[in-house]
Amino acid sequence: MRTLLTFVPLLVLSTAAKIPQNFHKCNRNSPDFQTCLLQSARKGILELVRPYPELTIPSLDPFELPEATIGGTEGPVNIQQKFKKCKFYGLPKLQVDDFEFSFQEKWAKLSGVFPEIQMLCDYEMKGQVLVVPVDGKGNSTIILKNVKARDVLSYEETKKKGKTYPRFKTSSLKIDPELVVFDFESRVDKAFTDNLNLVLNDNWKEIFGDVKGSYEQMFDQIVLSVVNSFFTKVTLEEAFDSA
């Protein structure tokens, strides 16, 4: 199982910025900090439908990913999937159930449900899915419905001019969709993709289960890209000491 992704690098420390007023801040010294944090996360995720260039945060609806390569295992999906020009829809609609932040142990934990995530990409793939040989390219739409998600992120701290910048090093996202729908279109052979989509959608649970780890790694990199972009501009003091 393998996932390779390409991002524009944004992870260079720069002048600290103020958090926009439409994001609610929470003071970590307040006795209701964790409650405030959860409410803030629920409201804040909805604000990410547009970019915030002052914070180097792109729009999350759609979130654009230039490239991703997902490889199968020795299971039912023995295939190399190359995706380009991807657009993800539905990420800001995350319904946050829980959000915790530990300054002592340097981690953040998040859980919730995405009602629907749509992934639209150009694709190239070659290999075998179950007993079906695959060799094609074209447009693809992958829809994940009612996705339960939980993540644990860890970070390190860097001091600059007396301020603390967290750099998130790991993300351990786990996802559990209720349903996955595949729609691959071929530029040359519609009968081939009709048959492929039938096989994929009739066996979606087994097939997605075989490559789920690769998709989780892909979303891990999206999460790290976004949060680290934010914290190149915002210090822990600005985020959590001045509410």
Side-chain angles (χ1 to χ4, degrees):
M1 179 176 59
R2 187 167 55 117
T3 306
L4 301 177
L5 299 101
T6 301
F7 289 98
V8 177
L10 296 170
L11 307 180
V12 179
L13 290 182
S14 55
T15 304
K18 295 289 185 180
I19 296 177
Q21 292 185 351
N22 53 330
F23 289 90
H24 180 70
K25 296 195 295 184
C26 300
N27 192 312
R28 58 179 146 181
N29 295 315
S30 171
D32 64 348
F33 170 69
Q34 294 295 345
T35 299
C36 175
L37 196 65
L38 176 58
Q39 294 173 347
S40 177
R42 286 173 171 169
K43 295 177 181 178
I45 192 73
L46 299 174
E47 301 291 339
L48 298 179
V49 294
R50 69 171 181 87
Y52 290 85
E54 70 275 24
L55 299 177
T56 63
I57 296 180
S59 169
L60 292 192
D61 204 29
F63 180 86
E64 298 186 1
L65 181 65
E67 185 175 352
T69 300
I70 294 178
T73 67
E74 297 302 319
V77 183
N78 185 8
I79 196 170
Q80 186 87 340
Q81 303 172 64
K82 295 182 179 180
F83 296 107
K84 293 183 178 180
K85 299 178 182 179
C86 295
K87 292 185 178 182
F88 292 82
Y89 293 88
L91 298 180
K93 295 181 180 179
L94 172 66
Q95 299 167 355
V96 181
D97 293 328
D98 190 40
F99 185 37
E100 301 176 63
F101 206 108
S102 172
F103 300 97
Q104 293 74 30
E105 299 181 27
K106 297 182 177 58
W107 53 251
K109 296 180 181 180
L110 177 70
S111 65
V113 177
F114 294 96
E116 182 173 292
I117 300 173
Q118 296 186 19
M119 175 181 170
L120 282 65
C121 308
D122 294 343
Y123 79 91
E124 294 182 20
M125 65 171 69
K126 188 172 185 178
Q128 183 169 303
V129 177
L130 297 178
V131 296
V132 180
V134 176
D135 187 357
K137 63 175 63 176
N139 301 321
S140 67
T141 301
I142 301 173
I143 301 175
L144 289 74
K145 295 181 177 289
N146 294 325
V147 185
K148 294 180 181 179
R150 62 185 187 279
D151 198 4
V152 179
L153 301 101
S154 64
Y155 69 92
E156 298 176 349
E157 295 180 350
T158 299
K159 295 286 187 178
K160 183 182 180 183
K161 296 182 179 180
K163 299 295 184 180
T164 308
Y165 292 84
R167 172 71 182 275
F168 285 81
K169 304 292 288 184
T170 64
S171 171
S172 302
L173 180 67
K174 299 298 179 185
I175 58 174
D176 182 18
E178 184 177 278
L179 177 66
V180 179
V181 179
F182 299 95
D183 184 9
F184 290 91
E185 300 177 4
S186 174
R187 294 169 185 158
V188 295
D189 190 346
K190 183 177 184 301
F192 158 73
T193 50
D194 286 348
N195 185 47
L196 174 63
N197 290 328
L198 182 63
V199 171
L200 292 173
N201 291 313
D202 283 350
N203 302 276
W204 75 267
K205 186 170 290 187
E206 180 182 10
I207 289 170
F208 186 77
D210 193 50
V211 296
K212 185 175 75 167
S214 291
Y215 279 87
E216 289 171 341
Q217 291 173 27
M218 178 176 64
F219 285 114
D220 279 334
Q221 296 306 311
I222 292 174
V223 170
L224 290 173
S225 173
V226 172
V227 297
N228 280 324
S229 294
F230 177 80
F231 280 112
T232 62
K233 291 287 188 177
V234 176
T235 66
L236 286 181
E237 290 81 8
E238 165 62 19
F240 299 116
D241 285 351
S242 55

